[in-house]
Amino acid sequence: MRTIHSRVNWYSSYFVDIDVNLQEPDFFLLDEPTSHLDLDIIEWLEGYLNKQDVPMVIISHDRAFLDQLCTKIVETDMGVPRTFEGNYSQYVEANASWVESQYAAWEMQQKEIEQTKDLISRLGAGANSGRASSAEKVRLRRIYS
């Protein structure tokens, strides 16, 4: 606590309040915890939080802070959450891989759609047009949904 009390009065009162209110927390919810803090205080906060054995939800733009503390990243995209194991740097790599695989799957799906459309149009002109074409149309509907 000595390092806190040697800081500007605002810092010391701020962290004394935190210490009093966090005797035995069930979890931490931190929204931009490093905003307006100098490097020494951020390092102290990282150390303090690393010693805690409770779940934490951290909303932050401080990538270095997230790298030090996070073991799991949850990303929400259009209301759908996805969980990545690891710190922020590992999340960036894993997310890039995931996006790449999703794009590759989308490209394959587009090729399959084009092939199915082509097959429908070829079969629609022949003698077996009614039966074969309707089966392929059902397949195409499944791909689109």
Side-chain angles (χ1 to χ4, degrees):
M1 212 61 166
R2 270 183 245 131
T3 53
I4 294 173
H5 288 292
S6 66
R7 300 278 172 222
V8 179
N9 202 17
W10 180 86
Y11 283 134
S12 70
S13 66
Y14 180 75
F15 283 108
V16 168
D17 288 343
I18 285 177
D19 192 48
V20 168
N21 291 323
L22 299 179
Q23 296 300 319
E24 291 186 36
D26 294 325
F27 67 94
F28 288 123
L29 177 58
L30 303 167
D31 186 13
E32 297 295 345
T34 60
S35 292
H36 309 294
L37 300 181
D38 66 23
L39 187 58
D40 290 338
I41 299 296
I42 291 172
E43 288 173 354
W44 176 87
L45 183 59
E46 284 175 0
Y48 177 81
L49 293 173
N50 267 325
K51 292 176 189 172
Q52 304 305 308
D53 191 28
V54 295
M56 296 180 207
V57 175
I58 302 172
I59 301 162
S60 180
H61 289 89
D62 187 338
R63 294 175 182 187
F65 185 77
L66 294 173
D67 266 347
Q68 292 298 315
L69 294 170
C70 295
T71 57
K72 187 183 291 184
I73 304 288
V74 179
E75 174 188 68
T76 56
D77 185 19
M78 296 181 2
V80 179
R82 278 191 328 220
T83 303
F84 296 87
E85 296 295 326
N87 66 16
Y88 184 79
S89 294
Q90 293 165 330
Y91 152 75
V92 169
E93 291 175 20
N95 190 45
S97 272
W98 183 84
V99 168
E100 196 174 295
S101 70
Q102 291 296 303
Y103 184 71
W106 177 82
E107 283 184 322
M108 283 180 40
Q109 183 185 43
Q110 296 308 305
K111 286 179 185 176
E112 187 177 342
I113 289 170
E114 287 305 312
Q115 291 170 351
T116 304
K117 283 180 178 180
D118 184 48
L119 183 61
I120 290 169
S121 65
R122 283 187 288 124
L123 291 174
N128 293 328
S129 64
R131 178 180 280 172
S133 183
S134 63
E136 291 302 319
K137 287 179 183 175
V138 168
R139 183 170 164 226
L140 189 59
R141 273 192 225 110
R142 286 185 187 146
I143 290 172
Y144 275 122
S145 38

